[in-house]
């Protein structure tokens, strides 16, 4: 069953592009990654799904309910963590967490305390005194204390130190084991590769790929080739992203492998590695070369 | 009622400062009355012979030498203008501040409808205005007792009811504007209150500008008119309340449909 499904979801801000004809499906119980550079439309997609902005055209359903007409019912089962959490000036952390629970009409004190302890969050502090990382922690507690069935997280780890990032993902995986679906928007690709089963890539408002993380990595026949003993890449078609080193050169190759091998045989090589590119390179590849695999 | 409670909690300090400032000034002003009373004739003559200014402040209709005339003009201006400023600030910041301070995203991603948000914000404005007026009325009653003057109940009640309506109208119009703007602009709230105040002064001076009385709420909260007639003028109140309801209606209509800025 799809937890999130969008049908030609489009949002324009006046004439400015937000997202165009987005068809996205997130299945129940998966950790889904949503990848794209800044300004690609990640936040617009999330803000539309949450009802903060109205779609220009198209539709979307969450828990099989319409995002416009059944917004409150959907929001009661969602935990949302914005990329930049802002709270009411002058309020204490405990007040914010209490206010969030109260709007969910739930007593979440036990769960909130557990989360605050694990994240080492001082609930007596005023929100104005908090660093970005600590504001993120407040946001995590507000997003997870009511045991949501869908967590929508917009660049959740920015501002968190590595130890807290680890703890955050541990908490998230526990929530996932309890049956929640996780929608994780990020431009940190290592996060997506490590934690997500499926992912979608968005660029300039359009979805350009949506598949399992393995398939996305293998979806292109590009290879990362590193040569030792020369600093010049072969001058043949399909060589991109050339990175010269001291006595080496590395490049991305997508072309005729026979042609590459015969070209390599003429070079004074000391060593050679050919690897599959990681998701980050795939992403750069999609983004820079405007390959459309859908 | 979570939003209402939070609004009241957050607005507590500002409400306290405005209420006590206005109350304190009203009290101090009242303490000056006994001295004024002794010089009734000369002061009244002076104030009633300033031409347009006499008319502007309604001093051609009521006397500064009488307690209600003094209260209506002196204290009426303090409470009228001060209350209008506070009402304007409350109204203009209610919805727009959520976007200005980027808290709208936090608030509206919870399972509360926008209609509910608008309703509770409006309730918080009306509650705060109500509380402010109650405290100021109490301070006024105490000040009457302090200078040993009798309180004419009907005139006093009518005057304060008119001020409450005036504050309600200004806050409601600003509340409507607040739903449309993204960056809370306190200047709009203060400016609107000031413009309304001066429109009434102009309308009092010139008969040709009489139509302005249908625009500004200060016309029905004009102490000179209320005290000389001992009644409120519904022909000014009615258009005012229509404007207020229009502002509130617009806020409900537009806020439910608007895109919330990130």
């Amino acid at each position: 069953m799809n937890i999130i499904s969008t049908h030609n979801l489009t949002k324009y801000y006046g004439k400015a592009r937000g997202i165009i004809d987005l068809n996205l499906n997130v299945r129940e119980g998966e950790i889904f990654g949503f990848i794209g550079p800044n300004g690609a439309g990640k936040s617009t997609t999330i803000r539309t799904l949450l009802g903060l902005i109205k779609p220009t055209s198209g539709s979307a359903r969450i828990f099989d309910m319409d995002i416009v007409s059944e917004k409150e019912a959907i929001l009661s089962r969602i935990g949302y963590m914005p990329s930049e959490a802002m709270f009411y000036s002058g309020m204490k952390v405990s007040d914010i967490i209490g206010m969030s629970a109260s709007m969910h009409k739930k007593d979440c004190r036990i769960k909130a305390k557990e989360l605050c302890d694990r994240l080492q969050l001082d609930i007596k502090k005023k929100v104005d005194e908090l660093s970005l990382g600590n504001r993120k922690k407040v946001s995590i507690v507000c997003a997870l204390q009511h045991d949501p069935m869908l967590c929508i997280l917009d660049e959740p780890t920015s501002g968190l130190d590595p130890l807290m990032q680890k703890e955050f993902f541990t908490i998230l995986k526990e929530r996932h084991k309890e049956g929640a679906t996780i929608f994780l928007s990020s431009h940190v690709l290592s996060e997506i590769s490590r934690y997500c089963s499926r992912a979608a890539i968005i660029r300039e408002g359009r979805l350009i790929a949506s598949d399992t993380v393995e398939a996305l990595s293998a979806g292109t026949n590009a290879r990362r080739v590193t040569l030792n003993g020369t600093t010049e890449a072969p001058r043949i078609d399909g060589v991109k992203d050339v990175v010269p080193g001291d006595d080496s050169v590395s490049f991305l190759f997508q072309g005729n492998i026979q042609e590459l091998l015969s070209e390599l045989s003429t070079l004074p090589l000391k060593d050679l590695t050919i690897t599959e590119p990681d998701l980050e390179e795939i992403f750069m590849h999609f983004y820079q070369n405007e390959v459309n695999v859908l | 009622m979570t939003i209402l409670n939070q609004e009241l909690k957050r607005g507590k300090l500002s409400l306290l400062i405005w209420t006590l400032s206005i109350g304190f000034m009203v009290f101090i002003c009242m303490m000056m009355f006994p001295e004024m009373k002794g010089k009734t004739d000369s002061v009244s003559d002076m104030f009633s012979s300033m031409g347009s200014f006499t008319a502007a402040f309604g001093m051609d209709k009521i006397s500064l030498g009488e307690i209600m005339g003094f209260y209506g003009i002196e204290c009426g201006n303090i409470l009228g203008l001060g209350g209008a400023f506070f009402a304007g600030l409350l109204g203009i910041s209610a919805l727009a501040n959520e976007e200005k301070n980027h808290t709208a995203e936090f608030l509206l991603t919870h399972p509360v409808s926008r209609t509910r948000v608008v309703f509770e914000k409006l309730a918080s404005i009306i509650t705060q205005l109500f509380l402010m007026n109650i405290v100021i009325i109490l301070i006024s009653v105490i000040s009457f007792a302090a200078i040993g003057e009798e309180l004419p109940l009907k005139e006093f009640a009518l005057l304060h009811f008119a001020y409450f309506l005036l504050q309600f109208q200004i806050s409601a119009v600003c509340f409507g504007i607040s739903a449309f703007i993204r960056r809370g602009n306190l200047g709009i709230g203060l400016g609107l209150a000031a413009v309304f105040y001066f429109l009434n002064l102009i309308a009092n001076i010139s008969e040709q500008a009489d139509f302005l009385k249908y625009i500004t709420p200060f016309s029905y909260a004009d102490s000179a008119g209320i005290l000389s007639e001992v009644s409120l003028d519904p022909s000014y109140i009615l258009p005012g309340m229509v404007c207020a309801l229009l502002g509130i209606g617009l806020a409900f209509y537009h806020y439910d449909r608007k895109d919330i800025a990130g």
Side-chain angles (χ1 to χ4, degrees), chain B residues 222-243:
Chain B
D222 198 28
S223 53
I226 296 171
L227 295 174
S228 57
E229 305 291 327
V230 198
S231 67
L232 298 179
D233 191 340
S235 62
Y236 298 142
I237 293 180
L238 212 64
M241 289 305 107
V242 169
C243 279

Side-chain angles (χ1 to χ4, degrees), chain A residues 11 47 54 80 88 100 102, chain B residues 2 98 105 110 259-260:
Chain A
K11 175 67 188 176
R47 295 172 68 79
K54 299 262 185 309
Y80 167 58
Y88 297 102
S100 176
S102 162
Chain B
T2 312
E98 293 283 350
E105 192 167 15
H110 283 86
D259 280 354
I260 300 298

Side-chain angles (χ1 to χ4, degrees), chain A residues 108-176:
Chain A
C108 311
R109 279 176 293 185
I110 296 168
K111 184 84 184 181
K113 167 124 191 18
E114 183 207 320
L115 287 167
C116 290
D117 288 346
R118 289 178 72 175
L119 295 166
Q120 295 162 18
L121 180 62
D122 182 358
I123 58 166
K124 292 191 194 92
K125 274 199 170 172
K126 292 219 162 163
V127 285
D128 316 63
E129 299 165 8
L130 299 181
S131 63
L132 170 67
N134 279 323
R135 283 212 308 275
K136 281 267 177 182
K137 291 179 188 176
V138 180
S139 216
I140 296 170
V141 179
C142 290
L144 298 176
Q145 63 173 345
H146 58 286
D147 292 333
M149 288 316 291
L150 169 64
C151 301
I152 296 184
L153 314 161
D154 194 359
E155 294 178 11
T157 52
S158 61
L160 286 181
D161 65 53
L163 275 178
M164 276 304 139
Q165 290 188 16
K166 193 163 171 277
E167 186 61 28
F168 167 69
F169 278 111
T170 309
I171 294 169
L172 212 58
K173 279 194 280 185
E174 287 168 12
R175 189 72 213 118
H176 179 241

Side-chain angles (χ1 to χ4, degrees), chain A residues 183-248:
Chain A
F183 184 82
L184 175 68
S185 151
S186 179
H187 53 231
V188 182
L189 290 141
S190 55
E191 267 175 23
I192 304 280
S193 328
R194 198 175 312 152
Y195 300 106
C196 298
S197 44
R198 290 201 315 135
I201 300 175
I202 184 169
R203 183 178 52 78
E204 289 174 9
R206 291 178 191 273
L207 206 65
I208 56 168
S210 179
D211 210 330
T212 61
V213 170
E214 292 81 36
L216 281 177
S217 302
T220 164
N221 54 6
R223 294 292 178 264
R224 168 63 59 184
V225 182
T226 308
L227 309 177
N228 280 321
T230 178
T231 54
E232 274 203 30
R235 288 164 200 262
I236 53 172
D237 282 350
V239 172
K240 300 183 204 95
D241 190 29
V242 179
V243 186
D246 276 347
D247 187 30
S248 65

Side-chain angles (χ1 to χ4, degrees), chain A residues 7-167:
Chain A
H7 180 69
N8 292 340
L9 194 66
T10 301
K11 175 67 188 176
Y12 276 93
Y13 299 100
K15 281 184 182 170
R17 180 270 304 160
I19 48 173
I20 305 162
D21 288 337
L22 208 74
N23 290 304
L24 184 72
N25 290 305
V26 178
R27 296 173 200 147
E28 188 172 6
E30 66 184 0
I31 303 185
F32 190 92
F34 196 42
I35 320 163
N38 293 331
K42 296 193 299 288
S43 289
T44 298
T45 307
I46 290 176
R47 295 172 68 79
T48 311
L49 290 175
L50 293 168
L52 288 168
I53 51 180
K54 299 262 185 309
T56 308
S57 64
S59 62
R61 297 182 79 77
I62 298 181
F63 302 119
D64 206 25
M65 290 185 274
D66 183 74
I67 56 159
V68 177
S69 61
E70 293 167 287
K71 191 176 74 180
E72 284 87 58
I74 292 173
L75 288 176
S76 68
R77 297 167 68 186
I78 285 183
Y80 167 58
M81 192 178 159
S83 56
E84 273 179 59
M86 297 300 279
F87 304 106
Y88 297 102
S89 173
M91 281 175 80
K92 281 188 196 159
V93 170
S94 55
D95 295 335
I96 293 285
I97 293 171
M99 181 183 178
S100 176
S102 162
M103 285 194 282
H104 277 288
K105 297 189 181 78
K106 277 187 178 175
D107 183 355
C108 311
R109 279 176 293 185
I110 296 168
K111 184 84 184 181
K113 167 124 191 18
E114 183 207 320
L115 287 167
C116 290
D117 288 346
R118 289 178 72 175
L119 295 166
Q120 295 162 18
L121 180 62
D122 182 358
I123 58 166
K124 292 191 194 92
K125 274 199 170 172
K126 292 219 162 163
V127 285
D128 316 63
E129 299 165 8
L130 299 181
S131 63
L132 170 67
N134 279 323
R135 283 212 308 275
K136 281 267 177 182
K137 291 179 188 176
V138 180
S139 216
I140 296 170
V141 179
C142 290
L144 298 176
Q145 63 173 345
H146 58 286
D147 292 333
M149 288 316 291
L150 169 64
C151 301
I152 296 184
L153 314 161
D154 194 359
E155 294 178 11
T157 52
S158 61
L160 286 181
D161 65 53
L163 275 178
M164 276 304 139
Q165 290 188 16
K166 193 163 171 277
E167 186 61 28

